[in-house]
Amino acid sequence: MPTAVAAGLLLSLGPAHPAAAEDDGLRFDEAIERVTVSPGAALYLSGGFTNGTDRMLDAVYLQVDFDSQFTPSDAFRNCWYSAADTEVRVNRMVCRLEGAVRPGRSYDLYLGTARIAGEAGNGRISYRVSAERGDVPISPAARRGSDVETLAFTERDSAEGRVRPAPADPGSPVTTAVEVGGTHDLAVNEVTLRGRPGDVVKADFFFVNKGPGAVRASFDDEPDNDRAVVAELTVPPALKVVKAPRHCRGSRTKATGDATPSTTRYVCWQKRLYRESVMSPGQFEHFPFTFRIDRADGTPGRIAMPDRREFKDDDPSDNSAAVKVDIAGAGSGSSTRWAAASLLTAVLALGGGALWLRRRSSAARTDGGGR
């Protein structure tokens, strides 16, 4: 393997599985189960297939599908290449491999390399091989490879000990899981609101890429990702929402008793409209809310990223954070007025109680003197 291709590449092989049985048919039978690469690296692609039929074949057809963030580097002249679109959401390579494919024999392929985009996240590459041309359709928009080199295969000395993911189901694609390491750290922020009951307070929640690398701003499976939820907010019970961002939607669960009070929740989505958009390091998605403090309750709320594989990063500790309400931490003026009012109420209540006790005591003495 060339040094440039191997740089930044860490292979994590799963257990080796035995080669296909004689009655398994024609199948792709070699693939790394999992590989970890650095963003911007080139990934070396090995492959192979076994003719488990009892027929001699003069050609086979190969299909390799790459997640849209991975692109095949080579352009073999016996292959056709098509880019991901709204109908087929993968980069696809389809090849016609000509030559004698003997029954019961296995063959190796050198598939070239795949370029890993600088902002790529985790993804997959899948492979399948067929003796039938119709099983691997070529897109009308596909371009034929321009390289002088032809993708060819060489016969193996033995079919034993080949690496392939389990379960080895005939006809099913074989998949390599590609993990892109150390690319970015997505996070949400902790917020503390201070005031007294009746105060209107503002809070700016955000979803941010802390870097060091960029990340594709595509967090769902839709062609346009303007509704991909990136933050979920549980509002503290002390707060009532006065104003919410347009790209957040709220819901409320009713209380069923003292043990389960009613809860207000919001989901907030990104405002980027295209899957090609990226979040650069330091780029934010803001969610500005306005609340009113309704009561003196210090129970915290929570802001969190949804539990989805698209949000996997190196530091999950900041994927959720508390939303706190600090009643005692109000500004000195308002805090003093609130404390004074509370003290006056207590004094009046105490004075009324003392007056009632004095009257009660006097009445008791008067009644006692009459007996």
Side-chain angles (χ1 to χ4, degrees):
M1 185 187 307
T3 304
V5 172
L9 183 63
L10 172 64
L11 298 183
S12 174
L13 298 180
H17 303 280
E22 289 296 306
D23 59 351
D24 274 349
L26 180 67
R27 63 188 303 146
F28 197 96
D29 69 355
E30 178 177 323
I32 297 167
E33 293 192 43
R34 178 170 285 101
V35 59
T36 301
V37 297
S38 299
L43 173 62
Y44 174 89
L45 301 176
S46 62
F49 60 92
T50 293
N51 183 6
T53 73
D54 58 0
R55 294 179 295 142
M56 173 76 80
L57 304 173
D58 58 6
V60 296
Y61 298 89
L62 171 72
Q63 176 180 311
V64 185
D65 287 343
F66 304 80
D67 275 6
S68 58
Q69 55 201 335
F70 311 142
T71 307
S73 303
D74 297 280
F76 300 105
R77 61 187 175 93
N78 58 331
C79 299
W80 289 260
Y81 299 83
S82 56
D85 56 29
T86 55
E87 293 185 8
V88 181
R89 297 179 183 175
V90 292
N91 294 325
R92 176 165 290 171
M93 177 175 93
V94 175
C95 306
R96 175 184 166 89
L97 310 175
E98 296 183 352
V101 179
R102 298 192 289 170
R105 298 303 180 102
S106 296
Y107 300 85
D108 282 319
L109 291 168
Y110 169 65
L111 300 174
T113 59
R115 295 191 302 271
I116 309 301
E119 69 279 1
N122 297 340
R124 292 182 177 275
I125 300 173
S126 64
Y127 319 80
R128 65 191 305 262
V129 65
S130 174
E132 303 298 328
R133 168 69 184 83
D135 290 344
V136 285
I138 298 175
S139 166
R143 59 177 177 81
R144 188 166 185 170
S146 56
D147 285 0
V148 175
E149 187 178 357
T150 298
L151 177 59
F153 53 87
T154 56
E155 187 171 329
R156 300 172 187 155
D157 293 334
S158 171
E160 295 301 320
R162 309 313 300 186
V163 178
R164 88 180 160 217
D169 185 18
S172 296
V174 173
T175 300
T176 295
V178 181
E179 296 183 352
V180 183
T183 58
H184 53 266
D185 177 19
L186 299 175
V188 291
N189 64 317
E190 180 177 299
V191 171
T192 299
L193 300 168
R194 294 178 172 85
R196 61 187 179 88
D199 283 353
V200 174
V201 292
K202 293 184 177 181
D204 184 16
F205 302 98
F206 60 76
F207 167 70
V208 62
N209 177 16
K210 296 168 64 176
V215 58
R216 288 177 60 87
S218 174
F219 304 111
D220 63 9
D221 295 326
E222 299 300 323
D224 295 326
N225 60 333
D226 58 332
R227 286 294 183 270
V229 173
V230 295
E232 299 173 343
L233 172 65
T234 301
V235 179
L239 304 180
K240 182 174 182 179
V241 178
V242 176
K243 185 177 181 181
R246 295 181 62 182
H247 52 301
C248 294
R249 182 180 65 250
S251 63
R252 187 175 179 84
T253 58
K254 293 183 178 180
T256 57
D258 294 340
T260 56
S262 59
T263 304
T264 301
R265 292 187 173 87
Y266 275 80
V267 293
C268 300
W269 52 86
Q270 59 188 8
K271 293 185 292 184
R272 294 170 181 79
L273 301 180
Y274 306 105
R275 298 188 67 83
E276 292 77 14
S277 300
V278 299
M279 282 189 78
S280 301
Q283 190 169 2
F284 291 79
E285 192 79 74
H286 289 271
F287 312 111
F289 277 78
T290 302
F291 300 102
R292 185 177 68 243
I293 301 177
D294 267 7
R295 52 196 171 102
D297 187 335
T299 305
R302 200 81 186 162
I303 183 170
M305 290 157 38
D307 185 16
R308 294 205 307 266
R309 68 180 180 89
E310 292 91 338
F311 294 108
K312 184 177 180 180
D313 55 40
D314 288 344
D315 185 9
S317 66
D318 52 16
N319 290 2
S320 66
V323 180
K324 301 177 182 177
V325 181
D326 184 0
I327 302 297
S332 57
S334 60
S335 178
T336 302
R337 287 193 299 271
W338 182 39
S342 300
L343 179 60
L344 178 59
T345 302
V347 168
L348 289 175
L350 181 60
L355 178 61
W356 182 82
L357 286 173
R358 285 199 299 273
R359 289 177 177 174
R360 178 77 175 170
S361 176
S362 175
R365 286 197 300 272
T366 301
D367 292 342
R371 282 197 299 266

